[in-house]
């Protein structure tokens, strides 16, 4: 536990505490009265209300649209099922900047809907809600569908034999068993939409602002650290409460009864109703997920001289950036890949040690340690990034000009994914195997190498893949600490979208397409090596 605790203490607790302290301290004393002052401001109350309202609305709409998909993937067997399951997961691993850009190409000025019917939905709440459903569709499909596929269908059939109608049997038998998974999915969707940053910043315009966007505005544009510190504490408290409730729902879900092999529950659709349901889900995937991605690719190829690779070729030219970058935009691709690889290495070391520690001990200390690992999901990434700048600028940790600063910030977000991927597999390793190896004279290191590693190798690859994808798309902290001569892909896309001109817009679409393809390839590779075909992620 020592290495993960030290890592989080230095690169998470210290920067966050420092930035909050600068905002709430004056003359060496804490000014907690600023909390009431900030939270009583009408503009801040409006931000809090919109953040909560849009998160609740996004969660409700996502559940409404995605639950039929969860049923189809859990109970139906049809050609291309596994490939389609991977396709619907692509949006989840996409950076939020790419999601915002895709919907801007579909719903914004000059987008597909604007060209066909003169309809523009950017700078409206509808664009934000649709993008959130696109992003979180896979969370519901895989979390709820993962459990649904393991529920014994004979329980519902027994209720039908005893006289219950189809809906009554589902309501009285299946839904109570699914309730923990539905609650867990809803809480995760709420968490992701409550802390939404890139999507709201690109699609919401100046009229809409979530807590995360407002923290960025108060910190980077207005330099109002007291307000940013208060909003950081509010977001942290809200997300900590959501994570606490989520932990309880996960424990309830793990206690679901009568789980069976998912291969025994899936069958080909029968009857007009089931085929219609399958067709509806396929149409939803086509319109909600594939259409925005296809429009993004189409816009990246729609160069002024006709369809071609003009925007992609412009990425290699510094003159084509119009002064937006100190290096050609294409450099952002290699920067992001290098940063993501380094961040993945750090996340695997820290997360792997943490997961191993969590499998060896139990009790309050370990539960507290587990909660510590999830904290980066509850604190504003903007706060972490700005905290890096004001704390890691003097010996012995003078990293402000070092390239390693970006991978360290990205690894903070990757560690929770590594832990959550590795932990179930490590806990499933029979402890008697380790004991037998120890009795035969193996050292602890050799026990790990000869017993644990062969059993968890595939899970380690999956964890590495998710850490790589998450690091590749990190934006909130990186936007502060990425050097002008070494931008990452999400930062480059945001900069291009922030400047007028057809060439800047086209290059943003091209870079977003490159980032989408890298994430999609990573995900498809993960789908092939994933150890548990019935689980969530």
């Amino acid at each position: 536990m020592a290495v993960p605790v030290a890592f989080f203490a230095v690169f998470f607790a210290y920067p966050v505490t420092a930035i909050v302290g600068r905002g709430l301290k004056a003359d060496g004393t804490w000014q907690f009265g600023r909390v009431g002052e900030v939270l009583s401001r009408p503009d801040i109350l409006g931000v809090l209300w919109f953040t909560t309202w849009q998160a609740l609305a996004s969660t409700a709409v996502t559940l409404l649209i995605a639950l039929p998909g969860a049923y189809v993937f859990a109970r139906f067997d049809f050609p291309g099922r596994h490939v389609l399951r991977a396709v619907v997961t692509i949006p989840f691993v996409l950076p939020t900047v790419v999601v915002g850009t895709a919907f801007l190409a579909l719903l914004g000025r000059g987008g597909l809907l604007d060209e066909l019917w003169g309809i523009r939905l950017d700078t409206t709440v509808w664009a934000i809600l649709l993008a959130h459903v696109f992003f979180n569709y896979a969370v519901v499909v895989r979390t709820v569908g993962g459990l649904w596929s393991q529920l014994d269908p004979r329980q519902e059939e027994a209720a039908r034999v005893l006289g219950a109608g189809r809906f009554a049997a589902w309501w009285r038998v299946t839904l109570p068993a699914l309730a923990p998974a539905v609650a867990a999915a809803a809480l995760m969707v709420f968490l992701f939409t409550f802390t939404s940053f890139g999507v709201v910043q690109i699609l919401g315009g100046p009229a809409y602002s979530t807590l995360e966007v407002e923290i960025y505005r108060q910190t980077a544009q207005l330099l109002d650290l007291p307000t940013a510190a208060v909003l950081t504490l509010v977001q942290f408290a809200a997300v900590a409460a959501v994570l606490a409730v989520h932990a309880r729902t996960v424990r309830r879900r793990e206690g679901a009864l009568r789980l069976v092999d998912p291969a025994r529950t899936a069958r080909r659709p029968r009857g007009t109703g089931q085929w219609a349901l399958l067709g509806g889900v396929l149409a939803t995937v086509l319109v909600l997920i594939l259409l925005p991605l296809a429009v993004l690719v189409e816009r990246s190829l729609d160069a002024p001289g006709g369809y071609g690779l003009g925007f992609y070729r412009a990425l290699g030219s510094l003159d084509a950036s119009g002064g937006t970058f100190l290096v050609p935009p294409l450099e952002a691709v290699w920067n992001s890949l290098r940063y993501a690889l380094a961040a993945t290495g750090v996340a695997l070391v820290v997360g792997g040690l943490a997961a191993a520690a969590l499998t060896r001990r139990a009790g309050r200390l370990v539960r507290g340690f587990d909660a510590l690992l999830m904290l980066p999901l509850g604190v504003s990434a903007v706060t972490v990034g700005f905290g890096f700048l004001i704390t890691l600028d003097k010996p012995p940790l003078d990293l402000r000009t070092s390239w390693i600063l970006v991978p360290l910030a990205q690894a903070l977000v990757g560690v929770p994914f590594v832990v959550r991927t590795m932990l179930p597999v490590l806990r499933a390793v029979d402890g008697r195997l380790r004991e037998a190896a120890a009795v035969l004279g193996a050292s602890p290191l050799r026990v790990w190498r000869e017993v644990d590693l062969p059993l968890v190798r595939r899970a380690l690859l999956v964890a590495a893949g998710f850490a790589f994808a998450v690091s590749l798309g990190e934006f909130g902290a990186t936007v502060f600490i990425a050097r002008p001569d070494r931008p990452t892909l999400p930062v480059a896309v945001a900069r291009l979208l922030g400047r007028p001109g057809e060439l800047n817009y086209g290059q943003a679409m091209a870079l977003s397409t490159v980032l989408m393809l890298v994430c999609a390839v990573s995900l498809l590779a993960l789908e092939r090596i994933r150890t548990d075909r019935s689980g969530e992620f």
Side-chain angles (χ1 to χ4, degrees):
M1 292 171 62
V3 172
V5 168
F7 178 79
F8 275 80
V10 174
F11 298 112
F12 178 72
Y14 178 41
V16 171
T17 303
I19 196 72
V20 172
R22 288 203 177 192
L24 296 181
K25 266 188 176 182
D27 299 326
T29 60
W30 290 94
Q31 305 291 324
F32 290 109
R34 291 178 178 175
V35 176
E37 295 173 5
V38 171
L39 296 183
S40 62
R41 287 165 44 183
D43 59 325
I44 298 301
L45 290 176
V47 170
L48 291 173
W49 166 247
F50 175 74
T51 301
T52 306
W53 176 85
Q54 65 82 26
L56 290 172
S58 298
T59 302
V61 175
T62 303
L63 287 175
L64 181 65
I65 294 176
L67 280 176
Y71 175 78
V72 165
F73 283 102
R75 294 303 197 202
F76 292 170
D77 185 17
F78 53 91
R81 175 173 168 235
H82 292 305
V83 174
L84 191 64
R85 193 170 185 266
V87 168
V88 301
T89 313
I90 289 176
F92 180 75
V93 300
L94 286 180
T96 55
V97 172
V98 175
V99 175
T101 306
F103 275 83
L104 192 65
L106 179 63
L107 308 175
R109 180 188 298 274
L112 181 64
L113 293 187
D114 189 20
E115 290 182 352
L116 294 179
W117 298 293
I119 298 175
R120 283 188 57 196
L121 295 179
D122 61 323
T123 69
T124 69
V125 72
W126 298 110
I128 295 173
L129 294 181
L130 285 174
H132 283 164
V133 175
F134 168 88
F135 188 78
N136 293 293
Y137 184 86
V139 176
V140 178
V141 167
R142 298 182 75 125
T143 303
V144 179
L147 179 61
W148 210 333
S149 65
Q150 298 177 81
L151 294 180
D152 193 340
R154 292 175 296 182
Q155 297 179 77
E156 190 172 320
E157 294 168 0
R160 296 287 305 280
V161 169
L162 293 174
R166 184 181 298 275
F167 179 77
W170 179 83
W171 183 265
R172 300 283 296 276
V173 177
T174 304
L175 183 59
L178 285 178
V182 174
L187 286 168
M188 292 310 296
V189 173
F190 181 85
L191 172 65
F192 292 136
T193 53
F194 188 84
T195 58
S196 183
F197 178 48
V199 167
V200 178
Q201 188 180 42
I202 293 175
L203 297 177
Y208 299 102
S209 180
T210 56
L211 272 173
E212 188 83 0
V213 175
E214 188 65 19
I215 291 171
Y216 174 76
R217 190 174 76 91
Q218 295 290 339
T219 303
Q221 299 175 7
L222 303 180
L223 296 179
D224 187 352
L225 292 186
T227 300
V230 172
L231 295 181
T232 296
L233 293 176
V234 170
Q235 179 169 306
F236 175 74
V239 175
V242 172
L243 289 174
V245 177
H246 180 263
R248 295 187 61 185
T249 61
V250 169
R251 288 194 294 270
R252 288 179 57 198
R253 185 180 58 200
E254 290 173 349
L257 300 178
R258 298 288 300 278
L259 299 182
V260 298
D261 183 0
R264 293 171 51 192
T265 65
R267 51 179 174 76
R268 291 185 63 82
R270 293 179 296 184
T272 305
Q274 292 188 356
W275 281 106
L277 178 60
L278 176 59
V281 170
L282 293 178
T284 300
V285 172
L286 177 65
V287 174
L288 180 65
I289 295 177
L290 295 181
L291 180 60
L293 299 179
V295 172
L296 177 65
V297 176
E298 187 271 337
R299 286 295 184 265
S300 74
L301 297 172
D302 189 11
Y307 283 98
L309 301 177
F311 290 137
Y312 290 90
R313 284 193 290 267
L315 295 176
S317 171
L318 181 59
D319 295 335
S321 70
T324 306
F325 301 99
L326 299 178
V327 294
L330 192 61
E331 286 290 323
V333 177
W334 312 120
N335 293 334
S336 289
L337 292 175
R338 287 193 292 263
Y339 288 147
L341 286 173
T344 300
V346 174
L348 285 177
V349 172
V350 176
L353 290 173
L358 288 171
T359 60
R360 297 298 201 276
R361 297 286 184 271
R364 291 185 178 180
L365 177 62
V366 172
R367 287 196 296 270
F369 176 61
D370 195 9
L372 169 70
L373 302 174
M374 299 298 108
L375 286 181
L377 299 179
V379 172
S380 166
V382 171
T383 301
V384 174
F386 195 66
F388 270 35
L389 290 182
I390 67 173
T391 56
L392 304 179
D393 61 344
K394 60 187 68 173
L397 287 173
D398 188 3
L399 303 177
R400 194 166 178 173
T401 60
S402 174
W403 67 272
I404 196 64
L405 203 61
V406 173
L408 289 174
Q410 294 173 343
L412 282 172
V413 186
V415 168
F417 286 87
V418 173
V419 173
R420 297 270 77 84
T421 304
M422 296 289 298
L423 194 56
V425 181
L426 283 172
R427 284 176 172 167
V429 176
D430 192 339
R432 291 173 297 182
L433 296 176
R434 301 189 185 103
E435 294 168 0
V439 168
L440 293 173
S443 65
L445 180 60
R446 188 175 182 185
V447 169
W448 162 256
R449 188 175 65 249
E450 302 290 344
V451 177
D452 291 80
L453 186 58
L455 296 174
V456 303
R457 184 181 293 116
R458 292 178 62 158
L460 191 64
L461 292 174
V462 173
F466 271 112
F468 179 80
V470 170
S471 301
L472 199 65
E474 205 287 322
F475 178 61
T478 308
V479 72
F480 275 96
I481 58 181
R483 295 173 56 179
D485 60 338
R486 291 182 179 178
T488 63
L489 274 170
V491 172
V493 170
R495 288 183 187 174
L496 288 168
L497 288 176
R499 295 179 64 88
E502 183 181 9
L503 183 58
N504 286 320
Y505 178 81
Q507 289 182 95
M509 296 296 160
L511 276 181
S512 297
T513 301
V514 171
L515 189 50
M516 177 193 71
L517 291 176
V518 173
C519 291
V521 169
S522 301
L523 179 70
L524 292 174
L526 291 182
E527 193 70 15
R528 292 183 63 86
I529 63 176
R530 190 162 53 90
T531 55
D532 182 8
R533 292 281 167 188
S534 64
E536 307 171 19
F537 291 102

